[in-house]
Amino acid sequence: MKNSATDIALRLADNAESVCRRYLSKGHREGRYWLVGDARNTPGRSLYVRLVASPDGGAAGKWTDAATGDHGDLLDIITIAGGHARLRDTLEEARRFLSLPQPSPRHEGAGSRREPKAPSGTPEAAQRLAAASLPVHGTLAADYLAGRSIGPLQAGDPLRFHPRCYYRPSRKDRPGTRRAWPAMIAVVTNLAGAITGVHRTWLDPTTIDKAPVAYPRRAMGHLLGHGVRFGRAGPVMVAGEGIETILSLRTIMPALPAIAGLSGAHLAAIRFPPDLRRLYIARDEDSTGAAAESLLTRRAVEAGIEAIPLAPMLDDFNSDLHGLGADRLRAHLAPQLRDEDAEHHLLLSG
């Protein structure tokens, strides 16, 4: 179809440097690549966009974030830059950038043609993967979490399992790395409950641990401001970086609503539910965790929300739970919680 998603992606690739200068303006060109911090136009050098086709067959317009392993094409960059929830909005923006005519309302609404398949990395692609996944109970993913001392999982938890989830090898992977592994799928949603992305943890069925690949964890879709939500939001909740961090806390505080931001930067940017009054911030014990806690605390205070840090004993709360046990973690957390929260959420859960 003329001006389909595939056609527009190719046209964007032919103008890759112009796209980068517009949507990744805080980066710069180095040789065949455009370098920037990430797909949200953060200054840095982690994400690289191929500006011209490489001798090894790499296509222009493709990008990879070396820090996260995320990858995609220039349609994904426009999706993230515009905060689009629909492929149609991304295509409209791309047509404007390329000075292409927009389809007539009659052509788009006639129903005679299906909307083009969403490019990888979009919320639509994340929704397809979530729909193709299985309930997590009784799967390798549940066994993996149990091996990290996490459990039991609750009905309604945003976790699923895919027995053969595609893995795109990176430059850091060994030659011949498998392209499909079992994976734990965590669903990312916005405040309204709509799926905006997914997080994948690839697993090795032999070791019941993370798969032996360079990037066993990757996220896709719209993540900024959103997260993996456990329980219904209320006036008190806890936020942390990793899924296993949050699941570790919910192992001993199963009734406390929680959200995993999936990274320090995304944790700092989570959007607050309207009824939130007190937010516990479960930080990782590193510089990224400290920075995320500082920024999220400032945002919470400005919004009139009480922010309380939770510090682990080791590097994170899963290390505490798995290495030191639930009783020691419970005793360590008790003085960090408000008395009413300790009584309602922590002590009764033991």
Side-chain angles (χ1 to χ4, degrees), residues 189-201:
T189 56
N190 60 19
L191 288 174
I195 297 175
T196 65
V198 293
H199 180 276
R200 298 150 292 175
T201 302

Side-chain angles (χ1 to χ4, degrees), residues 166-190:
Y166 175 72
Y167 175 81
R168 181 177 180 177
S170 71
R171 293 180 175 183
K172 294 186 178 181
D173 280 299
R174 298 188 302 271
T177 294
R178 283 171 47 183
R179 292 176 177 263
W181 296 84
M184 180 175 69
I185 308 298
V187 178
V188 178
T189 56
N190 60 19

